[in-house]
DNA sequence: AAACACCGCAACCGCTTGGAG
DNA sequence: TCTCCAAGCGGTTGCGGTGTT
C-alpha cells in the first residue's frame, strides 16, 4: 500500500491534462473519496474519466479514478481468494496468452487484470518456481514456460501453442501437485470441466472451446504414449472482443461438433506432420459414433489467428515437429475403445 | 517483546493505441 | 498527415501486515 500523498502535491504521473490547473491527490484512497466516486458512478455511469474526477468532486486525475473504480469499487467485482478452478484457468490461459493480463481477466468474470497479475506474481509464479527447482529444472526464470521434464526454456512460439503447467489432478488446486508435467494434449469431449459454469456468463451464451489434456506419466515420459488417463483440463473461453466483432473482420464464431473440432485442430497443427492417420480416423470415428458434441467455439485459419491475437500460426507451425505432444492421434485411441 | 524478513496488493508510472479535430 | 488527449495495458513500487528468529 502507499501512503496518501499530501493533497497539495502536484501530480507528476500521466495525468497531464490536470497538472497545470489542479493539485491532485495521490496514494491511497480515503473512504470519503471512494464514496464520492461510487455515488457519482451510480448516478451518472461511466463517461470521460477526466469529467468523472472533476464532477465527482475528487482531487484525483481521471486515470486514478478509473483504476480505483475498475480494480476496487466496481460492484461486479468478485472478492476473496481465487478458487482452485480459477487458479487452473489462470495458469492455462497464461500458458497460452503470456502476460496479457487483461485478456486473461476478460475470461475470469469479477476479476481484474491487476488482481490476476498480482496473484500470478506473488503466488503462482512462486509455486511454479518451487516445482521447477528440482535438480533438473534449476533455471529460476518463470516468465517463460518450461519443459517440466528437463527444465528447458521454450520459445514463445512453443509457449503459445501448448498448454503448459497442466494439472494432473484435475480440478484440485493446480499447483499443489508435486507431479506437474507438460501435457500431452488430446481432445476429450466426454469430461466436462467444473470450470464450465464460468462460461455461462459469456454474453452470447455460446460456450467456449473445450479441450482436454492428457497428463504425462510420472516417469517423465511425456511423449511415451501408453494408457491415457484424461484428467487435466484445459479451457479457453472466447474473448468477448472476438464475440463482438462483426463477422468477416475477426472471423465467424461457429458452433461445431466434436468431429469438426478435431478436424479443425488437425488442420491447424498441420496434421501431415503426424504419421498415424489410422489412429486419427479411429478417434474421429469414435467421436462420431458416440454422437458427442462439444458446444465449441472454433476458429479456422485466419479466424483462429485473429482469435489468438494475431499470432502467426504459420510461423508457429514451422516447428510443429518439435511439438510431439500435439500429436493427438497417437495417444487417444486407447481411451476410446 | 523486539527486530527483522518476507509477502500481498493497491496504486503509480510510463508506454502504446486509437479517435477526434 | 500531424497533434492532442483519453483510455488501456503491463511493469514496478512501496507500505502495511504477518511470520520468523
Amino acid at each position: 500500500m502507499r501512503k496518501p500523498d499530501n493533497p497539495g502535491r502536484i501530480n507528476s504521473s500521466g495525468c497531464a491534462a490536470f497538472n497545470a490547473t489542479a493539485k491532485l491527490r495521490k496514494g491511497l484512497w480515503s473512504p470519503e473519496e471512494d464514496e464520492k466516486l461510487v455515488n457519482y458512478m451510480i448516478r451518472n455511469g461511466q463517461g470521460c474519466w477526466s469529467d468523472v474526477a472533476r464532477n465527482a468532486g475528487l482531487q484525483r486525475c481521471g486515470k486514478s479514478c478509473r483504476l480505483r473504480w475498475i480494480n476496487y469499487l466496481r460492484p461486479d467485482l468478485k472478492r476473496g481468494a481465487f478458487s482452485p478452478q480459477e487458479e487452473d484457468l489462470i495458469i492455462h490461459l497464461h500458458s497460452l496468452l503470456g502476460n496479457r493480463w487483461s485478456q486473461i481477466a476478460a475470461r475470469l468474470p469479477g476479476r481484474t487484470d491487476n488482481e490476476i497479475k498480482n496473484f500470478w506474481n506473488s503466488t503462482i509464479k512462486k509455486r511454479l518456481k518451487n516445482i521447477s527447482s528440482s535438480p533438473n529444472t534449476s533455471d529460476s526464470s518463470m516468465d517463460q514456460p518450461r519443459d517440466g521434464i528437463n527444465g528447458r526454456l521454450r520459445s514463445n512460439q512453443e509457449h503459445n501453442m501448448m498448454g503448459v503447467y497442466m494439472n494432473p489432478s484435475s480440478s484440485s488446486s493446480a499447483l499443489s501437485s508435486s507431479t506437474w508435467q507438460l501435457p500431452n494434449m488430446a481432445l476429450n469431449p466426454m469430461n466436462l470441466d467444473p470450470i464450465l459454469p464460468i462460461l455461462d456468463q459469456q454474453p452470447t451464451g455460446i460456450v467456449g472451446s473445450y479441450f482436454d489434456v492428457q497428463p504425462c506419466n510420472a516417469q517423465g515420459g511425456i511423449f511415451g504414449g501408453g494408457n491415457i488417463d484424461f484428467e487435466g483440463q484445459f479451457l479457453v473461453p472466447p474473448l468477448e472482443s472476438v464475440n463482438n466483432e462483426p463477422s468477416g473482420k475477426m472471423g465467424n464464431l461457429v458452433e461445431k461438433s466434436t468431429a469438426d473440432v478435431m478436424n479443425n485442430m488437425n488442420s491447424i497443427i498441420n496434421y501431415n506432420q503426424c504419421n498415424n492417420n489410422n489412429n486419427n480416423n479411429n478417434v474421429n470415428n469414435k467421436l462420431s459414433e458416440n454422437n458427442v458434441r462439444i458446444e465449441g467455439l472454433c476458429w479456422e485459419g485466419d479466424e483462429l489467428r485473429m482469435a489468438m491475437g494475431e499470432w502467426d500460426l504459420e510461423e508457429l507451425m514451422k516447428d510443429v515437429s518439435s511439438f510431439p505432444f500435439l500429436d493427438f492421434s497417437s495417444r487417444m485411441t486407447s481411451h476410446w475403445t
Side-chain angles (χ1 to χ4, degrees):
Chain A
M1 270 73 76
R2 287 167 186 262
K3 191 190 294 182
D5 282 3
N6 291 333
R9 177 174 166 179
I10 299 287
N11 188 336
S12 61
S13 68
C15 312
F18 282 83
N19 285 347
T21 55
K23 295 181 176 181
L24 302 175
R25 283 178 57 86
K26 286 174 67 177
L28 293 182
W29 281 64
S30 67
E32 292 75 25
E33 288 178 304
D34 282 346
E35 190 180 350
K36 282 182 181 178
L37 181 55
V38 168
N39 287 339
Y40 180 88
M41 292 301 290
I42 289 172
R43 277 198 309 271
N44 303 286
Q46 181 180 325
C48 171
W49 284 108
S50 301
D51 294 341
V52 169
R54 195 166 29 234
N55 296 336
L58 292 163
Q59 289 183 312
R60 298 271 182 174
C61 69
K63 192 172 180 174
S64 181
C65 294
R66 176 185 160 271
L67 273 179
R68 185 62 177 172
W69 176 256
I70 289 175
N71 289 332
Y72 195 79
L73 297 175
R74 236 170 56 197
D76 59 327
L77 284 182
K78 192 188 289 182
R79 298 302 178 92
F82 284 86
S83 69
Q85 288 80 12
E86 286 177 310
E87 282 190 39
D88 285 347
L89 188 52
I90 290 169
I91 291 162
H92 298 336
L93 290 170
H94 187 271
S95 74
L96 287 172
L97 299 168
N99 293 357
R100 295 178 174 178
W101 304 117
S102 63
Q103 303 267 313
I104 294 172
R107 294 174 169 86
L108 281 140
R111 301 296 188 181
T112 69
D113 54 353
N114 206 37
E115 195 177 10
I116 294 169
K117 180 174 58 181
N118 284 332
F119 181 61
W120 179 270
N121 287 330
S122 62
T123 306
I124 298 181
K125 208 167 167 178
K126 204 173 302 163
R127 287 191 219 166
L128 290 171
K129 193 174 182 177
N130 289 338
I131 291 167
S132 70
S133 64
S134 65
N136 289 337
T137 59
S138 57
D139 192 315
S140 64
S141 168
M142 290 310 299
D143 287 327
Q144 294 286 337
R146 64 188 57 255
D147 187 309
I149 301 306
N150 58 21
R152 174 177 69 87
L153 281 175
R154 290 184 175 273
S155 70
N156 284 333
Q157 288 182 350
E158 285 177 301
H159 176 198
N160 290 336
M161 285 306 298
M162 61 192 292
V164 287
Y165 312 138
M166 292 307 173
N167 178 15
S169 58
S170 189
S171 60
S172 62
S173 180
L175 294 167
S176 60
S177 169
S178 61
T179 58
W180 274 75
Q181 306 285 353
L182 286 174
N184 291 332
M185 186 179 284
L187 293 173
N188 177 17
M190 308 293 286
N191 185 3
L192 294 181
D193 195 310
I195 302 172
L196 272 175
I198 292 172
L199 296 177
D200 292 338
Q201 299 176 38
Q202 292 297 320
T204 62
I206 301 172
V207 179
S209 303
Y210 178 78
F211 307 103
D212 223 350
V213 296
Q214 172 200 353
C216 50
N217 65 49
Q219 286 71 41
I222 43 177
F223 309 138
N227 289 336
I228 292 174
D229 181 12
F230 287 91
E231 286 184 282
Q233 288 159 350
F234 181 84
L235 174 68
V236 184
L239 278 171
E240 287 181 32
S241 60
V242 173
N243 274 354
N244 295 335
E245 284 294 332
S247 66
K249 184 181 177 185
M250 290 291 282
N252 297 320
L253 302 178
V254 189
E255 267 199 329
K256 299 209 173 185
S257 69
T258 297
D260 287 335
V261 173
M262 284 297 302
N263 288 333
N264 289 339
M265 289 305 293
N266 288 343
S267 64
I268 287 165
I269 66 171
N270 188 12
Y271 199 70
N272 290 333
Q273 296 279 340
C274 305
N275 295 326
N276 196 336
N277 289 327
N278 287 336
N279 282 345
N280 180 45
N281 292 336
N282 196 1
V283 169
N284 284 327
N285 290 341
K286 194 67 183 180
L287 295 171
S288 300
E289 286 165 19
N290 291 339
N291 198 26
V292 175
R293 185 174 179 81
I294 297 177
E295 299 281 311
L297 277 178
C298 306
W299 297 281
E300 295 180 279
D302 288 342
E303 294 171 345
L304 174 63
R305 182 179 307 166
M306 296 299 287
M308 294 178 74
E310 294 288 349
W311 293 328
D312 188 341
L313 281 177
E314 265 117 31
E315 273 299 307
L316 292 170
M317 290 308 108
K318 275 183 182 173
D319 295 327
V320 71
S321 59
S322 66
F323 304 105
F325 46 83
L326 285 178
D327 176 3
F328 304 147
S329 61
S330 63
R331 284 181 292 279
M332 292 187 70
T333 51
S334 62
H335 185 71
W336 303 107
T337 56

